């Protein structure tokens, strides 16, 4: 039973909509974007050449594909396109995790303080003259600490509004200045 605000159960959904059409459209847009990214560039590749290279890699007949086209697809564009796709998927998962963790559809890294924590970590890494990977690791840990602080600061997830320290300090300073 769902007892909240006088509602004893979810309303019966007579016309439940399926997520399948939206999912199919999203997959179609993703595939179209991948094909576009693999064919457009400084060295243009036709869609037929792209399909021939993909079929040849899958074990199909190898047509008259130039090695330059294969090199551009597999070594230059393919790796970048796949990396971009994986990074986009990771950002989507991170956003969904934030929304689920804090039960707030409007949550963002700025509100939670993750951006400020990561910036602080990066500044510390740069100040200590660390390498690129160490700076990224410290920035990640700083963002993680800020989010954990927001999560365990004694507030309920719906009460987490801002943990962004610089913004809060500026607001407090402004309030003190205006009150004096």
């Amino acid at each position: 039973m769902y007892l909240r605000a006088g509602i004893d159960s979810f309303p019966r959904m007579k016309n439940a909509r399926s997520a399948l059409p939206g999912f199919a459209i999203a997959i179609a847009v993703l595939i179209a974007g991948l094909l576009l990214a693999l064919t457009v560039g400084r060295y243009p590749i036709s869609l037929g050449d792209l399909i021939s290279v993909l079929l040849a890699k899958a074990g199909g007949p190898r047509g008259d594909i130039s090695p330059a086209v294969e090199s551009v697809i597999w070594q230059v564009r393919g790796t970048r396109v796949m990396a971009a796709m994986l990074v986009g998927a990771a950002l989507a998962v991170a956003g969904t995790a934030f929304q689920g963790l804090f039960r707030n559809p409007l949550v963002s890294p700025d509100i939670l303080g993750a951006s400020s924590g990561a910036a602080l970590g990066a500044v510390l890494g740069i100040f200590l003259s660390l390498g690129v990977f160490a700076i990224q690791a410290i920035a990640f840990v700083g963002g993680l600490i800020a989010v954990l602080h927001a999560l365990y600061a004694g507030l309920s997830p719906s009460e987490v509004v801002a943990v962004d320290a610089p913004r809060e300090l500026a607001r407090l300073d402004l309030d003190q200045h205006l009150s004096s």
Side-chain angles (χ1 to χ4, degrees), residues 35-126:
L35 292 176
L36 182 69
L38 287 170
T39 56
V40 175
R42 186 169 181 90
Y43 184 80
I45 297 173
S46 70
L47 193 58
D49 286 345
L50 176 64
I51 291 172
S52 296
V53 169
L54 294 175
L55 289 176
K57 191 69 168 183
R62 180 161 163 60
D64 55 345
I65 305 165
S66 75
V69 171
E70 282 189 68
S71 176
V72 166
I73 289 175
W74 294 119
Q75 295 177 0
V76 179
R77 292 185 190 161
T79 54
R80 292 177 184 171
V81 168
M82 287 299 131
M85 186 178 73
L86 291 174
V87 167
L91 288 171
V93 168
T96 303
F98 268 5
Q99 289 174 349
L101 183 66
F102 289 94
R103 287 174 268 166
N104 181 352
L106 299 176
V107 74
S108 73
D110 296 329
I111 291 173
L112 297 175
S115 298
S116 296
L120 176 65
V123 166
L124 286 175
I126 292 169

Side-chain angles (χ1 to χ4, degrees), residues 21-37:
F23 187 68
I25 290 171
I27 293 294
V29 169
L30 176 66
I31 290 171
L34 289 174
L35 292 176
L36 182 69

